[in-house]
Amino acid sequence: MTLHLPNPDGTLRAYEPRSEPMTVSGGSAFTSRTVFSAAHVVADPFADTTPDGPAAVDWDATLAFRRHLWSHGLGVAEAMDTAQRGMGLDWPTAAELIRRSAAEAKHAGGRIACGVGTDQLTATATTTLAEVRTAYEEQLAVVEESGAQAILMASRALAATAQGPDDYLDVYGHLLRQATEPVILHWLGPMFDPALEGYWGSSDLDAATDTFLEVIAAHPDKVDGIKVSLLDARREVDLRRRLPQGVRCYTGDDFNYPELIAGDDQGFSHALLGIFDPLGPLAAQAVRVLDTGDTEGFRALLDPTVALSRHLFQTPTRYYKTGVVFLAWLSGHQSHFTMVGGLQSARSLPHFARAYELADGLGLFPDPKLAQERMRNLLSLYGVNQ
């Protein structure tokens, strides 16, 4: 069945969907790279909520999606930006998500790391660094008590309160001394969250990088790795070459991930990526090919996915979660296309149409007919007559 998809100029184009999905094989655990998928949450579509009210989550569907990722050998990065932290997912619900997912990971034998932030604290002119530390400590305790690895995320409250690099050194040094196990440090750029502009005490990224590295150098035994989400491949490569021995670089670059994971003669990046939510099975297959030493085969599988990723993460990048959930719905991982906080309205119909076209072209949908029917229903809802 031909679908008529809308263009940004209001015209329609004919598209012939695939009839068969891409064939993806399973396999053993990864040996050459550590790979996390930052997983989305599934909203409860029947909850009587408002965009600024507490989040309502469909726990069964949310946990089922995590089992899907683990079944392909991927780790789950929980309660991260992809799960709408700071964009609909409040801290009490995030804490419950962490506890439930960590318990599920133990049962399923899956790897899990969880985000630690300060989103229960709204910074004001009187907020102190001590209050920021306390907020971080509360969340760190929840993650560690769950048995998951901690990811120290960038903090809006710290960005608003810190007066310079020394304040970042103080707060992160305090947290790293407290952490019982090595953590992942997360540098999320302002393209993902404008409130994080000037993180590490400077809008000059070279100066910010120096402070970031100073934090790591002071506590290398407490840092498992860093997650860098700056969408700048050159800067990530330069940064990973300056890391202390044994500290991993987990790419968070959803524009350049194939080349960064493949690496060069001086090293490579592991991965902690939002795009590996919709790409999970294909990404896992590509990493297993890389495990054999076949870099060309790895790139042949993953390079064609970059166009989809760049589309989902286009400006304003922080709304990429909408495309991720849209593809999960088309793929049959959830029965509806609603999001926490009503974020399903954050992208346009032409954006969805192009996302469908790119994902279908890659063969990402396990049931292409289901995806086609759901896309047709969405088009009809928007008034596009097929």
Side-chain angles (χ1 to χ4, degrees):
M1 178 197 310
T2 301
L3 286 179
H4 297 283
L5 303 178
N7 297 309
D9 64 1
T11 61
L12 297 176
R13 66 184 182 279
Y15 177 70
E16 296 292 335
R18 287 177 63 134
S19 59
E20 297 294 333
M22 178 191 62
T23 301
V24 177
S25 58
S28 57
F30 307 144
T31 57
S32 65
R33 303 290 188 274
T34 301
V35 181
F36 290 96
S37 166
H40 74 280
V41 292
V42 182
D44 179 353
F46 301 116
D48 186 10
T49 61
T50 60
D52 57 353
V57 173
D58 180 337
W59 294 112
D60 289 342
T62 293
L63 294 175
F65 188 75
R66 279 131 184 83
R67 292 193 294 272
H68 155 71
L69 294 173
W70 285 320
S71 74
H72 290 281
L74 298 162
V76 168
E78 187 57 276
M80 302 290 291
D81 185 63
T82 308
Q84 296 181 242
R85 289 294 291 271
M87 293 184 72
L89 188 71
D90 53 279
W91 166 239
T93 310
E96 184 173 0
L97 176 65
I98 289 166
R99 294 185 181 104
R100 286 176 179 254
S101 294
E104 195 73 20
K106 291 177 185 176
H107 183 264
R111 182 165 185 167
I112 188 167
C114 300
V116 172
T118 63
D119 43 323
Q120 75 273 48
L121 176 65
T122 300
T124 67
T126 60
T127 300
T128 65
L129 289 179
E131 290 173 316
V132 175
R133 286 196 302 269
T134 298
Y136 261 131
E137 288 169 346
E138 177 189 355
Q139 297 201 13
L140 179 60
V142 169
V143 171
E144 291 191 333
E145 287 166 5
S146 78
Q149 183 178 18
I151 303 171
L152 294 186
M153 300 192 298
S155 161
R156 291 176 179 173
L158 181 55
T161 305
Q163 298 299 305
D166 287 346
D167 288 341
Y168 287 88
L169 294 171
D170 174 68
V171 170
Y172 277 90
H174 178 83
L175 294 169
L176 289 172
R177 285 189 295 272
Q178 276 196 282
T180 58
E181 299 290 341
V183 307
I184 297 172
L185 296 180
H186 185 191
W187 185 357
L188 190 68
M191 68 288 293
F192 289 92
D193 186 345
L196 300 177
E197 178 65 43
Y199 212 74
W200 304 111
S202 178
S203 294
D204 180 328
L205 289 180
D206 290 335
T209 297
D210 288 342
T211 302
F212 187 41
L213 287 168
E214 189 174 347
V215 169
I216 299 165
H219 306 276
D221 59 320
K222 288 297 187 72
V223 181
D224 164 71
I226 62 169
K227 179 188 186 292
V228 186
S229 299
L230 298 175
L231 303 183
D232 184 334
R234 180 197 59 79
R235 184 169 295 279
E236 179 174 322
V237 171
D238 290 345
L239 177 54
R240 81 184 181 203
R241 289 176 180 171
R242 297 173 63 188
L243 291 174
Q245 185 70 27
V247 176
R248 296 182 177 99
C249 178
Y250 294 93
T251 187
D253 188 332
D254 299 277
F255 282 7
N256 305 293
Y257 50 94
E259 65 186 83
L260 290 164
I261 297 170
D264 54 32
D265 57 0
Q266 297 185 55
F268 56 82
S269 294
H270 299 270
L272 198 166
L273 288 161
I275 192 57
F276 280 7
D277 178 305
L279 293 184
L282 175 56
Q285 180 168 315
V287 174
R288 288 192 177 96
V289 170
L290 186 60
D291 286 344
T292 69
D294 183 1
T295 302
E296 289 186 4
F298 167 79
R299 295 293 297 268
L301 283 170
L302 219 51
D303 281 359
T305 69
V306 172
L308 171 63
S309 189
R310 291 188 175 219
H311 178 72
L312 297 184
F313 285 77
Q314 68 183 230
T315 304
T317 302
R318 62 189 180 275
Y319 294 124
Y320 76 87
K321 281 85 79 172
T322 303
V324 166
V325 175
F326 171 66
L327 294 182
W329 172 57
L330 294 184
S331 296
H333 293 298
Q334 53 195 80
S335 61
H336 58 87
F337 179 37
T338 54
M339 296 178 66
V340 171
L343 205 64
Q344 67 271 12
S345 65
R347 293 293 200 187
S348 68
L349 184 61
H351 180 88
F352 294 138
R354 182 59 177 156
Y356 165 75
E357 188 175 16
L358 289 168
D360 184 67
L362 291 168
L364 291 186
F365 301 127
D367 184 344
K369 290 184 179 179
L370 174 67
Q372 179 181 331
E373 186 62 27
R374 288 184 170 182
M375 188 67 212
R376 195 166 79 106
N377 289 340
L378 182 70
L379 292 167
S380 176
L381 182 65
Y382 275 78
V384 180
N385 187 353
Q386 295 297 310

